[in-house]
Amino acid sequence: MMRGRSLGPRFRWLWSAYAVSAFGTWLGFGAFPMLAILVLHAGPAAVSALAAVGPAVGALVAVPLGPWVDRRRKRPVMVGMDLVRFAALISVPACYALGVLSFAQLLAVSVVVAAADITFTSASGAFLKGLVPPEDLLVANGRFESTNWTATALGPPLGGAAFALFGPVTSVVANAVSFLLSALGIRAIGGDEPRPRNAARLRVSDLADGWRFLLAHPGLRPLLLNAMVFNGLVMGTEPLLAVLMLNQLGFTPWQYGLAFAVPCLGGLAGSRLTPRLVERFGRHPVLVTAGALRACWLLALAFIPAGPGGLGYVMVVELGLIVCCSVFNPVLATYRLEQLPPDRIARTLSAWSVSTKAAIATLTAIWGLLAGVAGPRVAIGVAGILVLATPLLLPRHDRTPVAA
């Protein structure tokens, strides 16, 4: 077992860049909804629209970028996307300082950041597969996952405290700077990256190539459908939880951040345990079991009580959800990379990201409308009931194609 082995200095630079951007992202957790609610006085429908329309349009913008990334060296693309995210995010505190921050500004920034996120993710996945040996992919993905949950545990309460103590755009500034530091870290990786062999001009037919591969693959197809529905229902309720907790139940911003941060320590434990579970029980049983168990928690969030008990209640529910997700995610990420041919990694990862983000945006918009009619609790409860059916979309048997 290679959980403790070094993956080399180039991987450490990549891991460090990922860590600093992850911490920045989670420092800014909920910053846009809080700005919309507490500064711009937006209601549930507007907050849901912010969470839905930006990623949806960003996903549409990113559609041609996956095939484009496959034809280029991945490290310069990653640096460029970090710089784009820095420029977009730093415009928010600039507009706030000038007194011209608007809902349209937040929406435009969310579009740019969403498109850059998808492009960066597709490029980094392709770069990682060429950076570490195949047998180390699970270890590498487990380290990214544990770093993400550590950042999630520390970032939101610090971001909420910064929001309360230093002003509403402090965490946005920190997030923007983190992408600038990430760009410097990726640039420091060094080494030669060969030019992709597939450098022909982009054709219209290439835009759908990632989806063709995913939908034809017997193992990835059900996992994509599961990810779209599960992520869409869970993330679609995030702005509704913000409205429910901040407006209706009277939680402060730091309490809201704390409620989602402390349970992430369970995510750190789960991601570190994943290689051992796969070694003992096998990849497919771990993937299916963790994928099924993560569907059992969302419904409970429809019944959050007020007061200190409500804070503890959210922490317990989120702990169960996060532990299951932290085991599932690195196994899925590793399996997905193993199945992708080198000449189409970026476009296929981009298609996956576009699909899941489009599903999240669509369900967020629908659930925002439902919350506007029936209230946040009812909308969260409906999502919780529906998500219980998502394990039916998981492949019951290992459907990995056998090499000829």
Side-chain angles (χ1 to χ4, degrees):
M1 197 62 194
M2 295 177 284
R3 288 187 298 274
R5 65 169 291 176
S6 170
L7 301 185
R10 300 185 71 209
F11 174 79
R12 285 197 296 272
W13 274 114
L14 179 64
W15 190 12
S16 299
Y18 176 86
V20 71
S21 64
F23 273 94
T25 296
W26 285 106
L27 275 170
F29 171 77
F32 277 24
M34 285 194 288
L35 283 169
I37 294 169
L38 301 177
V39 176
L40 302 177
H41 309 293
V47 174
S48 293
L50 177 63
V53 175
V57 178
L60 183 63
V61 172
V63 167
L65 296 178
W68 176 80
V69 171
D70 269 329
R71 289 164 166 77
R72 280 156 179 80
R73 293 186 176 96
K74 307 306 181 287
R75 196 155 58 94
V77 172
M78 294 158 66
V79 171
M81 292 304 105
D82 271 339
L83 295 178
V84 167
R85 290 184 286 188
F86 165 75
L89 285 168
I90 206 67
S91 72
V92 173
C95 289
Y96 177 81
L98 294 172
V100 294
L101 181 66
S102 65
F103 187 83
Q105 170 75 11
L106 296 182
L107 194 60
V109 171
S110 68
V111 169
V112 174
V113 171
D117 283 344
I118 292 173
T119 308
F120 181 94
T121 300
S122 64
S124 63
F127 185 74
L128 176 65
K129 187 169 182 177
L131 186 65
V132 302
E135 64 272 15
D136 287 338
L137 278 175
L138 181 59
V139 177
N141 282 312
R143 291 178 184 177
F144 288 140
E145 187 75 9
S146 63
T147 300
N148 183 60
W149 290 116
T150 303
T152 311
L154 298 176
L158 293 176
F163 188 103
L165 295 175
F166 304 113
V169 295
T170 307
S171 59
V172 180
V173 173
N175 192 11
V177 172
S178 76
F179 288 120
L180 184 60
L181 295 176
S182 173
L184 294 174
I186 293 169
R187 185 175 175 82
I189 291 173
D192 294 327
E193 183 182 355
R195 183 180 295 276
R197 287 177 296 177
N198 184 15
R201 179 173 295 183
L202 181 65
R203 300 169 299 177
V204 174
S205 60
D206 293 332
L207 301 181
D209 193 45
W211 281 283
R212 282 195 292 267
F213 181 84
L214 288 170
L215 295 178
H217 193 287
L220 292 176
R221 182 176 60 248
L223 289 170
L224 173 62
L225 296 175
N226 174 270
M228 291 172 63
V229 178
F230 178 85
N231 292 350
L233 289 171
V234 172
M235 298 304 295
T237 61
E238 181 182 315
L240 307 183
L241 282 171
V243 173
L244 176 62
M245 295 178 68
L246 293 170
N247 273 2
Q248 299 186 6
L249 297 178
F251 287 95
T252 62
W254 74 265
Q255 288 175 322
Y256 174 71
L258 189 67
F260 294 95
V262 172
C264 293
L265 297 175
L268 175 61
S271 58
R272 292 177 66 86
L273 185 62
T274 299
R276 190 175 303 160
L277 291 174
V278 171
E279 183 181 38
R280 180 171 181 180
F281 298 107
R283 178 181 62 195
H284 187 73
V286 171
L287 185 72
V288 173
T289 302
L293 290 176
R294 66 184 181 150
C296 301
W297 303 94
L298 181 61
L299 180 59
L301 293 176
F303 305 99
I304 302 172
L311 187 62
Y313 180 93
V314 174
M315 289 182 181
V316 171
V317 174
E318 287 291 322
L319 176 65
L321 174 63
I322 287 169
V323 168
C324 297
C325 289
S326 68
V327 174
F328 179 85
N329 292 341
V331 181
L332 171 63
T334 300
Y335 174 73
R336 188 174 57 201
L337 275 181
E338 289 173 345
Q339 301 305 306
L340 300 184
D343 63 343
R344 64 177 68 186
I345 296 176
R347 72 187 71 184
T348 309
L349 290 179
S350 178
W352 185 289
S353 295
V354 168
S355 300
T356 53
K357 286 184 180 293
I360 290 171
T362 301
L363 293 177
T364 299
I366 293 172
W367 257 255
L369 294 174
L370 178 59
V373 174
R377 284 191 188 274
V378 173
I380 294 168
V382 172
I385 292 171
L386 292 177
V387 85
L388 292 173
T390 57
L392 298 176
L393 297 173
L394 292 168
R396 296 186 179 181
H397 307 289
D398 190 347
R399 295 167 135 185
T400 304
V402 178

